[in-house]
Amino acid sequence: MGWYKSAHRRMNLTKKRTRAWTIAWMAGICLLYGLHLFHLRADFPNFSPWMDYSKYTDEGWYGSAAVRHFLNGSWRVPGDFNAGAALPVWPLLEGIVFQFTGVSLVAARVLVLIVFAGNLLLTYTLIRMQQKQFIALLGATIVAASAFLYAFGRLAILEPLLIFWMLLSWLLALNLPKVSSVRVRYLLLAAIGFLICLQILTKTTAIFLIPSTIYLLWYAVNYDFRSFGKYAAIVAGAGIVPWSAYYFLIVHPHFLVDYHYLFDANKWEQPTTIGGWILAFWYALHGTLWIDTTLCLLAIVILALSLWWLRRLWSNPLFIASLLAAAGYIFFTGWHNNMQPRYYQIVAFPLIIVVCIGTAALLEKRRLIGMAALAVIAVSIALNLRLIAHFMRHTDHAFYVAAQRLTRYIDQHPNGNRLLLSISGANITLITHLPSICDDYGTYDLPYRIHMYHPGWYAAWNEIDPGTLEDLRTQYSLQRVARFHAFDDDDRNVLVLYKLIPLPPERQHYDTAVELEANARK
């Protein structure tokens, strides 16, 4: 009887130690997440491994509908870049936040970090549905410690929200087989369809992620085509109905030009030969190394072993869904032929899930090899934390300060209209509330746009594009008045401010055909 009590005490002691370690681990993850909340006005880390132009423009562009609504009373500026027509979800959420905080860069970034917290919890929950808590906590740790996600996840851009909708749709789909009530199952299917709609209205490239959710539906019916057809019909209906209502009742009658322009503005030159396409897709695949070289190499090893030694991974629906999502977005990047690091945020979460599920399988199959995989992950986490520590020690606020100084200069030197013309104008508006329009993108060509809005100032990075200069000279002469240093790219590290001086009316000219076309669009 004594041995039984002794064993029982040892068991209770082990449980208490396990619980204590789990709580400590969770606290560590919370601490890592908390690091993201410091220095929210800071620039994207200078001299990082990732050069991405989103740091100059995207926070302003894709939240501009909310910013303009609160500052000007209307979310749309005719003829300018109005991304909210095609991508309304993020500015709608920002608008809700601005209702309480006012227009603020910090408020927008807090919102995106709340979304990131949701992505962290969803990653943990998805892995925990299949694996031990240890593996789920490992996945959450990799996400929270990722220097790549630290850098991009603090920008108020679209990718984190798209990830949230995708992971949430996976969670609902994986829970379908557990639901016995037909009514509840149909509600889950409708919710999945609505989440797909939200994905597309958040970022249209979400269509390349839909196959991952569709596969989980197929898995939920045990690969029965008849049942799958019924499930797919409900999901399709729940997604198509709200999207169609938005498109045909709001966009088509009023904002069709702005809607279509988003796709025109995102067209990039594509390869014309088979060799060119092969290189494009190779570079897209190679771009995953931006996420984490060590984790990518481990994922490659796991994939190779899954073809022979760990073939049971292919019966894991979350493993397959993750591969489909990663492959779909890598395919989009290659097809789009525009390898931007920010796109790979979408790939990072499926990659982390694949690594965690694969490591769990290795631990079960061959513990020694599994421990080696854990060692690789530990090295990866250590390297990432070292990079995050470097970013935090070398924090720059140069662009935030430049926006403030530029706005102050304009206010102290009045020049007719206070309006700024600049490719980074929307970001400056988000920071200082200075009104702006974009010089590079818009549904009206630039000469007619400046004729319509009469900006008093122009800001360019380093040098003026010759085509832009030619357009400006149709109605203005330019006087360089100030320079503001920001960011680290050699081509875009000095923001130059110009005063726009109107030419005499007889010397001003622009294409009147454009004016007629613009009036027809109105």
Side-chain angles (χ1 to χ4, degrees), residues 50-73:
W50 317 287
M51 174 54 212
D52 193 301
Y53 286 125
S54 63
K55 63 187 180 183
Y56 296 93
T57 57
D58 286 25
E59 291 180 283
W61 278 353
Y62 295 109
S64 63
V67 174
R68 287 168 172 170
H69 172 73
F70 278 89
L71 297 181
N72 307 329

Side-chain angles (χ1 to χ4, degrees), residues 86-152:
L87 310 173
V89 176
W90 177 248
L92 179 62
L93 293 179
E94 272 196 351
I96 294 171
V97 172
F98 291 162
Q99 188 74 37
F100 300 97
T101 65
V103 174
S104 161
L105 175 66
V106 171
R109 289 182 172 179
V110 167
L111 175 60
V112 83
L113 285 172
I114 292 171
V115 173
F116 179 75
N119 293 338
L120 188 65
L121 289 171
L122 285 169
T123 302
Y124 170 85
T125 305
L126 285 167
I127 298 174
R128 185 68 181 95
M129 289 178 68
Q130 299 181 345
Q131 308 294 335
K132 296 177 180 178
Q133 189 174 45
F134 164 76
I135 297 297
L137 287 171
L138 181 64
T141 305
I142 297 171
V143 170
S146 169
F148 176 79
L149 294 176
Y150 172 87
F152 284 99

Side-chain angles (χ1 to χ4, degrees), residues 19-81:
R19 190 181 300 113
W21 276 109
T22 300
I23 293 172
W25 195 343
M26 289 180 174
I29 293 171
C30 292
L31 179 63
L32 290 175
Y33 171 75
L35 297 178
H36 294 66
L37 300 172
F38 288 92
H39 309 300
L40 289 182
R41 294 184 180 90
D43 299 341
F44 184 91
N46 283 329
F47 306 107
S48 74
W50 317 287
M51 174 54 212
D52 193 301
Y53 286 125
S54 63
K55 63 187 180 183
Y56 296 93
T57 57
D58 286 25
E59 291 180 283
W61 278 353
Y62 295 109
S64 63
V67 174
R68 287 168 172 170
H69 172 73
F70 278 89
L71 297 181
N72 307 329
S74 173
W75 69 270
R76 179 176 178 264
V77 174
D80 199 37
F81 184 38

Side-chain angles (χ1 to χ4, degrees), residues 1-19:
M1 201 62 186
W3 67 267
Y4 175 79
K5 290 181 179 180
S6 178
H8 186 68
R9 280 197 299 271
R10 283 196 300 271
M11 191 187 313
N12 287 336
L13 183 61
T14 302
K15 286 182 179 179
K16 287 179 181 179
R17 287 176 177 172
T18 302
R19 190 181 300 113

Side-chain angles (χ1 to χ4, degrees), residues 422-481:
S422 176
I423 192 170
S424 295
N427 273 26
I428 294 171
T429 302
L430 177 61
I431 294 169
T432 69
H433 304 177
L434 178 72
S436 68
I437 56 174
C438 185
D439 68 315
D440 202 17
Y441 294 99
T443 53
Y444 300 165
D445 73 350
L446 186 54
Y448 180 67
R449 212 177 321 146
I450 59 178
H451 165 76
M452 184 174 179
Y453 290 108
H454 306 290
W457 305 88
Y458 173 63
W461 288 99
N462 293 53
E463 297 179 356
I464 304 178
D465 176 77
T468 302
L469 181 60
E470 183 180 348
D471 288 339
L472 289 170
R473 283 178 171 171
T474 62
Q475 295 155 72
Y476 294 99
S477 63
L478 283 73
Q479 178 186 350
R480 191 172 74 178
V481 294

